[in-house]
Amino acid sequence: MRLQQILFKLSVPVIAVALGLLVGGIIMMSSGYDAFYAYSSLFSVIFTDPYYIGETVRQMSPLIMSGLAVAFAFRTGLFNIGVEGQLLVGWLASVYMGITVEGVPAFIHVPLAILAAAAAGALWGVVPGYLKARFRVHEVITTIMMNYIALHVTNSIIRNHMLAPGERTEDIQSSASLSSLFLQEITDYSRLHYGIIVAILAAVLMWYLLWKTTTGYELRAVGFNQHASNYAGINVSKNIILSMCISGGFAGVAGAMEGLGTYQYMTINAAFSGVGFDGIAVALLGANSAIGIILAAGLFGGLKIGALNMQAMAQVPPELITIVIALIIFFVASSYLVHWLRNRINKRGKI
Amino acid sequence: MEYVIEMRDIRKEFPGIVANDNITLQVQKGEIHALLGENGAGKSTLMNVLFGLYQPEKGEIRVRGKKVEITDPNIANKLGIGMVHQHFMLVENFTVTENIVLGQEPRRRAQVDIKSAAKKVEEISRQYGLRVDPYARIEDISVGMQQRVEILKTLYRGADILIFDEPTAVLTPQEIKELIQIMKRLIAEGKSIILITHKLKEIMEVCHRCTVIRRGKGIGTVDVADTNREELASMMVGRDVSFTTKKEKGNPQQEVLEIKNLVVKDSRGIPAVKGLDLTVRFGEIIGIAGVDGNGQTELIEAITGLRNAESGEIHLNGKEITNLKPRKVTESGLGHIPQDRHKHGLVLDFSIGENMVLQTYYQEPYSKYKQIKAPEIFKKANQLIDQFDVRTPSVHTEARALSGGNQQKAIIAREVDRSPDLLIAAQPTRGLDVGAIEFIHSKLIEERDANKAILLLSFELDEIMNVSDRIAVIYEGKIIAIVNPKEVTEQDLGLLMAGSKRTGKEEN
C-alpha cells in the first residue's frame, strides 16, 4: 500500500517530464532541428562530461534553496512570490559581509556571510508576513512589490556605496568564498563550489522543521485550517510571520550561493535573475517535499546547462529548453486535471 | 399497483466495499416515502444512482412503469426527478430568481428576461406555499429560505418526484415545522417525495411508508402507521435502542463556571450577549435552550477565548478567564466540542492521529524539547480510537476521509480524554444517527457522573430535555429562565424560547 502510494506520487512528475520532452522534441522537429541529436547531445554531457556535471550541480544549489523557500511558505498556506527579491537582498548581504569583514578564518567567515544572507532574506519576507497577519493584505501582491523594491535598493546600494569598475562590487575575501579549487579540478574547471552541501543541509532542515518539531506541526496546522488552529490555541498571526521569515531566510541563502559561490561578487542587475521564479517551478515539480525539490532542481539545472552543449553541437537555440521547462510545468499542473478526471470516472463506475 | 419509482435489486460497488447490495425501493404516487439508515448505510449512494450520478453494477430502474437508463442528472431531470441537496447548490451573490432559473434562463433577444422569470417563480411559490422573495440575494436570506429556493429550483424544472437529502439537518425547529407543511402541500398537489433521513420523529410525523437500509442491505419496507419509533430504530441499527437516556439523579457540587453580566458583540459589532449571568456546578449538565441567533454562539466563543468580551466577567474554577487566549483557557481546565466540526474541530488534511493532539501536541509525552514524538502520538490515538469506537482504517488516515459521526467521535474522544473540569458541547450530535447520538449522550453523562461539569448547547429540544439536569433558556442575549427538565413541557419551553415569561401565560 505504502509503496503503491509512493509510486503513484512519482508517476505525476515522471509522466510530466516525459511529455514535456516529447512535445519539446516535436517543436524542435517542426522547426527543422534534429530532436534526437539535440537531446542526445544535451543528456550525454550532463551525465558523462565532468565539466557539465560540475556546472549542473553548481546550478542546482540556488535552485534548491529557492525551491525550498517557495515550498516552505506553501506548506503553511502562503504563496511566496517574493523569493526573487529575498534572494537579491541575501546576495548583497552575503557579498557585503564577504568584502567588509577582514582577518577572520573561513570557518567563521563563510557561516557569518551565509547567516547575513539568511537574515536579510528573512527580513524581506517578514514584511509581507506582518502585513498579512496584521492587516490581511494578500502576500502575493506585497511579495511582488517587495521584489521590485529589492531590485532597485540593491542596485542603488551597489552604485552608491560598493561600486568597483564594471558595474559591480569588488570580489569578496577568499576567506568568505565557497569556491573550491579541489571541486573545480575534479570537474574540469567548472565553477562548482561547496554551496551544494549548504543546499542539501537546508533541505534536511526544512524536512526536520516541518515534520519533526512542534513548530512544524503548528505551521502545517495553520496552513491547512486557521480556524481550527486558533481553536486549538495556536497563534495564527505568529505562525504566518514565522513562515514568511523562514521562507525568506531560505531565499536569502539562495542569494549567498551566487554571491559566495558562483560569482564572488554582485553586479548591478538590469532585471531579475530569474532564479527566484524558477524556485516556484522547482517546488511545483518537487511536490513541495525536500527530496522532490532536490530532484527537480537537478532536472532543471541539468536541462539548463545541457542546453549549452545542445546549442554547440546541434545548433538548437537554448531557448527551446526554456520551452521544455515550461511544458513540464504545464503538464505537472494539468496532471491535477488528469487526477480529477480519473476520480470522476471512478466515481461514475465507468472505467 | 403502479409505482412512480421502482428500483429493483440495485447493486453498487466501490473499490473494497459494496455500498448497495441488492436494494429494492418502490415509491407510490403521492406518498412521502422515507429512506432510513445510519450514516454510511448507503442511502445517498442509492439516491445518487437514481439521480444519475452513479451507475449501478446490477438492477433496474423503472419510472412510472417504464424501464429507464439514467446515465446523468440531465436524464433524471427530464424524467421529472429533482433533488434537494443537503448542502445547497446556490450562488451566494445571485438573487433567488437568478439561482432558480440558472441554466434555463428565459431570454428576450440576448438578454435574460429576469422579470418574467421572477413572475413565474412567484406563481410556483404561491401554488406550493413556498414563501420567498424573488429579488433577495441568497447571502442575505435564512437557511430555511435557501432550502425553499432549492425546492423551487426542482419545481421550476418540472420535477414531480422530489428527493430530499436530510433536509432538516440544517434547520431550526421552527423551520422544520414549515418544511413539513411544505412537504404535505407538495403531495397534496400530486408530487411524490423520497425523504432521506435518520430522524425517526420526522418519519413518524409525515411519511406514509419507510424503507430501511443497514450496511448497504435492504432490511424492508413498512407502513409507518403500523410501526413505531422503537421498531424503526432497531431495524436501522440492528439492535434495540433506548431513546430516553438512562441517568441517575445528578449530584451537583460547588461552582465551576461563573459568568457575570457578560456583554459580547457579534461579527457585525452589534451586542449579541447582553449582560448574561450563568453559573454551572461540578456534577451537572446545563442545557442551553434557545432559538438560533440569540447569542449562543457568541457566548460560547467568549467563554472559550475565541471572541473578546466587551464587559463582564467569566470565572473558571475561581480564576478569571475573561479575554484570555484560547490556549490559556484550555489549560485552565476547559474542553470544547465546537459547533462546526469541519471549521473548528478538525484539521481535515491532518491524519486522525495528529488531530487527536491538537491542543496537547506541545506537552509531554507528545513532544519534548520542541521535537514531536510521533510514536507517542499514534499510541495515544490508537487508544482513543479503541475506547471511543472511532471507525477508521488507521490512525494515519486523513480526518477528511472519515464519516461525520466518526469525525465527531474523534473530537469527543480528544476533548473528554483531557478530562476538563468544564466541557462545552455545542450541538454535539448534529447530523448524527441514533446509534452515535446514544453513544455521545452516554459519554456526556459519564463525564457528569465523574463529577465534571457540562454546558450543552443544542437546538434539538429532545436532546436538551433528555440530557440536561437544568435548562437555561437564552433569549436575546440573556438567560431569561432556568427550569428543571422534569417539571417543564416542550410547549412551555418553546414559549420561553420565544421570549414569554416563566408562567407561560401569553403576553402581547
Side-chain angles (χ1 to χ4, degrees):
Chain A
M1 191 64 200
R2 249 184 111 80
L3 184 72
Q4 231 178 351
Q5 279 172 345
I6 291 167
L7 286 179
F8 183 72
K9 271 189 185 163
L10 270 177
S11 68
V12 170
V14 168
I15 292 171
V17 168
L19 282 173
L21 291 173
L22 182 76
V23 177
I26 293 171
I27 294 175
M28 283 182 207
M29 300 227 262
S30 64
S31 317
Y33 298 109
D34 183 346
F36 293 101
Y37 186 48
Y39 278 139
S40 67
S41 55
L42 189 160
F43 285 108
S44 63
V45 290
I46 60 172
F47 286 115
T48 58
D49 186 308
Y51 174 80
Y52 283 96
I53 292 173
E55 280 291 294
T56 298
V57 176
R58 174 193 65 75
Q59 183 87 0
M60 275 171 73
S61 25
L63 283 177
I64 291 173
M65 290 310 306
S66 60
L68 291 176
V70 174
F72 194 88
F74 192 80
R75 285 277 186 192
T76 41
L78 298 165
F79 291 102
N80 183 3
I81 312 294
V83 173
E84 180 70 34
Q86 293 145 14
L87 179 150
L88 289 174
V89 295
W91 187 342
L92 183 67
S94 68
V95 169
Y96 180 81
M97 288 306 244
I99 295 170
T100 53
V101 176
E102 284 178 59
V104 288
F107 75 91
I108 296 176
H109 203 177
V110 171
L112 189 69
I114 291 176
L115 283 180
L123 181 73
W124 225 251
V126 158
V127 175
Y130 176 77
L131 292 173
K132 166 103 179 178
R134 181 79 177 77
F135 302 108
R136 306 267 139 215
V137 185
H138 203 286
E139 74 278 7
V140 167
I141 294 168
T142 44
T143 50
I144 289 175
M145 298 221 214
M146 292 295 284
N147 282 344
Y148 286 98
I149 298 172
L151 178 66
H152 296 296
V153 165
T154 51
N155 281 348
S156 164
I157 291 174
I158 296 170
R159 189 170 288 122
N160 293 318
H161 303 289
M162 299 170 72
L163 199 63
E167 296 279 281
R168 49 166 273 197
T169 67
E170 292 169 34
D171 278 349
I172 56 168
Q173 316 273 339
S174 62
S175 58
S177 174
L178 281 169
S179 69
S180 138
L181 200 59
F182 165 70
L183 288 178
Q184 291 174 3
E185 274 172 358
I186 60 165
T187 58
D188 217 353
Y189 296 97
S190 74
R191 290 173 291 170
L192 181 60
H193 54 79
Y194 284 126
I196 188 69
I197 296 168
V198 177
I200 288 171
L201 286 177
V204 174
L205 178 69
M206 163 169 133
W207 169 82
Y208 178 78
L209 258 180
L210 275 179
W211 300 101
K212 295 290 162 189
T213 67
T214 53
T215 309
Y217 181 94
E218 290 183 9
L219 287 166
R220 288 183 295 120
V222 170
F224 284 133
N225 186 343
Q226 292 192 6
H227 297 288
S229 304
N230 189 28
Y231 154 89
I234 296 168
N235 186 334
V236 172
S237 297
K238 185 192 103 182
N239 275 290
I240 288 176
I241 297 172
L242 180 66
S243 167
M244 283 303 290
C245 176
I246 297 172
S247 171
F250 280 138
V253 176
M257 300 290 104
E258 307 287 49
L260 306 178
T262 307
Y263 297 100
Q264 315 277 317
Y265 57 81
M266 185 171 181
T267 55
I268 290 175
N269 289 298
F272 291 125
S273 73
V275 174
F277 299 117
D278 288 341
I280 301 172
V282 170
L284 186 67
L285 184 65
N288 298 313
S289 74
I291 281 279
I293 285 167
I294 293 173
L295 294 175
L299 177 78
F300 287 162
L303 286 175
K304 284 191 171 187
I305 299 299
L308 301 175
N309 189 54
M310 187 181 76
Q311 182 182 28
M313 304 290 286
Q315 279 81 46
V316 178
E319 283 76 12
L320 262 164
I321 284 305
T322 315
I323 294 178
V324 170
I325 290 176
L327 284 168
I328 291 172
I329 295 308
F330 170 81
F331 286 116
V332 170
S334 52
S335 75
Y336 298 112
L337 190 76
V338 175
H339 275 199
W340 181 78
L341 273 176
R342 226 178 75 160
N343 282 340
R344 222 177 139 73
I345 289 168
N346 273 349
K347 251 195 208 163
R348 287 181 176 222
K350 289 185 282 193
I351 308 283
Chain B
M1 180 77 214
E2 190 176 283
Y3 298 108
V4 277
I5 295 278
E6 192 172 14
M7 298 177 82
R8 231 185 263 162
D9 299 326
I10 298 295
R11 185 180 176 86
K12 174 72 201 162
E13 290 170 26
F14 292 111
I17 53 159
V18 181
N20 286 168
D21 189 358
N22 301 333
I23 296 182
T24 295
L25 173 73
Q26 292 161 323
V27 182
Q28 292 167 359
K29 187 170 166 56
E31 76 164 338
I32 303 182
H33 192 110
L35 185 58
L36 175 68
E38 286 188 284
N39 296 332
K43 297 170 300 207
S44 297
T45 308
L46 187 67
M47 285 303 104
N48 284 331
V49 167
L50 180 59
F51 200 57
L53 288 166
Y54 296 150
Q55 300 309 308
E57 264 78 43
K58 218 178 104 231
E60 63 170 37
I61 303 174
R62 287 171 181 274
V63 176
R64 294 180 205 86
K66 239 174 56 197
K67 195 174 172 222
V68 290
E69 291 269 344
I70 305 175
T71 50
D72 79 70
N74 289 326
I75 296 176
N77 276 330
K78 278 193 197 112
L79 289 165
I81 301 170
M83 184 135 166
V84 178
H85 296 274
Q86 184 181 2
H87 299 287
F88 305 147
M89 313 269 176
L90 297 170
V91 185
E92 289 267 305
N93 47 5
F94 272 21
T95 66
V96 167
T97 306
E98 284 167 338
N99 267 288
I100 291 171
V101 301
L102 195 65
Q104 293 191 3
E105 306 89 353
R107 288 165 193 281
R108 206 168 51 193
R109 299 203 194 92
Q111 287 183 332
V112 176
D113 186 359
I114 212 75
K115 259 192 191 154
S116 76
K119 219 170 168 184
K120 194 171 169 204
V121 167
E122 266 185 333
E123 249 167 53
I124 305 174
S125 68
R126 210 171 311 118
Q127 187 187 349
Y128 295 100
L130 290 155
R131 214 160 31 77
V132 293
D133 171 4
Y135 292 105
R137 271 177 206 284
I138 296 298
E139 57 196 356
D140 299 332
I141 64 178
S142 71
V143 174
M145 196 177 284
Q146 290 182 19
Q147 188 171 55
R148 293 201 283 276
V149 175
E150 280 281 340
I151 300 170
L152 279 169
K153 254 166 75 177
T154 64
L155 294 173
Y156 181 85
R157 285 160 174 72
D160 60 1
I161 301 154
L162 281 80
I163 306 168
F164 282 83
D165 187 3
E166 310 213 354
T168 59
V170 289
L171 301 183
T172 62
Q174 185 54 36
E175 287 172 324
I176 291 175
K177 268 189 200 137
E178 285 177 27
L179 177 69
I180 284 173
Q181 289 311 313
I182 290 167
M183 292 202 287
K184 285 182 171 164
R185 182 83 175 258
L186 284 167
I187 50 164
E189 297 278 340
K191 309 282 181 194
S192 311
I193 293 177
I194 301 174
L195 177 65
I196 307 176
T197 186
H198 50 243
K199 292 192 183 167
L200 302 162
K201 208 173 142 194
E202 286 155 18
I203 295 178
M204 299 309 293
E205 202 169 338
V206 290
C207 297
H208 302 102
R209 297 193 311 146
C210 175
T211 296
V212 184
I213 41 183
R214 183 168 77 223
R215 294 186 188 181
K217 288 199 170 73
I219 300 300
T221 300
V222 289
D223 278 331
V224 171
D226 302 338
T227 184
N228 55 40
R229 267 194 340 164
E230 286 69 23
E231 193 188 341
L232 284 178
S234 64
M235 278 175 84
M236 167 166 82
V237 185
R239 62 182 165 85
D240 286 338
V241 178
S242 81
F243 285 95
T244 43
T245 319
K246 273 184 244 114
K247 65 173 192 207
E248 305 294 313
K249 198 175 171 328
N251 178 25
Q253 319 216 328
Q254 81 274 26
E255 284 141 9
V256 58
L257 177 75
E258 262 192 286
I259 302 175
K260 283 188 208 137
N261 206 14
L262 185 71
V263 177
V264 190
K265 287 182 175 169
D266 66 14
S267 310
R268 294 166 300 170
I270 302 161
V273 175
K274 305 164 188 166
L276 179 141
D277 298 294
L278 182 67
T279 323
V280 183
R281 290 171 295 178
F282 279 109
E284 72 171 351
I285 301 178
I286 293 242
I288 296 190
V291 178
D292 195 6
N294 274 289
Q296 294 97 322
T297 308
E298 288 78 8
L299 169 65
I300 285 174
E301 287 182 348
I303 301 173
T304 52
L306 292 172
R307 184 183 289 272
N308 273 345
E310 292 299 307
S311 63
E313 287 175 24
I314 307 168
H315 291 266
L316 185 67
N317 268 332
K319 187 183 141 200
E320 174 150 14
I321 57 159
T322 325
N323 293 349
L324 288 186
K325 297 260 180 254
R327 175 155 295 167
K328 291 273 175 250
V329 177
T330 309
E331 286 174 349
S332 312
L334 184 124
H336 178 197
I337 300 163
Q339 230 174 118
D340 188 333
R341 54 175 166 262
H342 288 173
K343 188 173 171 189
H344 287 114
L346 294 167
V347 178
L348 290 174
D349 303 276
F350 268 10
S351 70
I352 201 70
E354 285 176 300
N355 269 296
M356 286 296 193
V357 293
L358 207 54
Q359 294 105 330
T360 48
Y361 65 90
Y362 61 94
Q363 296 166 352
E364 284 192 45
Y366 312 120
S367 63
K368 202 173 176 185
Y369 306 122
K370 302 207 80 184
Q371 295 195 76
I372 292 277
K373 301 269 179 231
E376 291 293 335
I377 290 174
F378 291 112
K379 201 173 94 191
K380 182 79 197 174
N382 269 319
Q383 176 208 328
L384 289 178
I385 283 169
D386 284 348
Q387 205 178 325
F388 285 80
D389 188 31
V390 182
R391 286 178 208 166
T392 168
S394 94
V395 280
H396 301 283
T397 309
E398 275 182 20
R400 185 183 296 288
L402 267 57
S403 73
N406 283 310
Q407 288 175 344
Q408 188 72 355
K409 280 188 197 167
I411 295 173
I412 288 169
R414 183 183 71 206
E415 298 303 309
V416 169
D417 181 65
R418 281 191 291 123
S419 115
D421 294 327
L422 173 69
L423 178 64
I424 296 183
Q427 298 205 62
T429 60
R430 176 154 94 169
L432 305 186
D433 57 65
V434 282
I437 291 174
E438 195 188 17
F439 178 82
I440 287 166
H441 286 171
S442 72
K443 279 288 165 195
L444 293 181
I445 291 163
E446 236 177 84
E447 279 302 289
R448 183 204 68 169
D449 292 343
N451 214 17
K452 306 290 181 186
I454 287 153
L455 187 63
L456 170 72
L457 168 70
S458 174
F459 297 122
E460 308 264 355
L461 277 187
D462 285 352
E463 180 165 50
I464 291 274
M465 299 280 279
N466 249 327
V467 181
S468 316
D469 296 311
R470 290 194 296 155
I471 300 174
V473 182
I474 191 169
Y475 179 71
E476 294 199 331
K478 279 184 184 165
I479 301 294
I480 56 157
I482 301 230
V483 294
N484 185 332
K486 294 199 181 70
E487 295 164 7
V488 72
T489 62
E490 274 200 28
Q491 282 70 21
D492 283 348
L493 199 54
L495 282 170
L496 284 169
M497 283 162 64
S500 76
K501 290 285 176 272
R502 170 81 237 232
T503 49
K505 277 180 197 149
E506 283 194 36
E507 286 178 18
N508 291 317

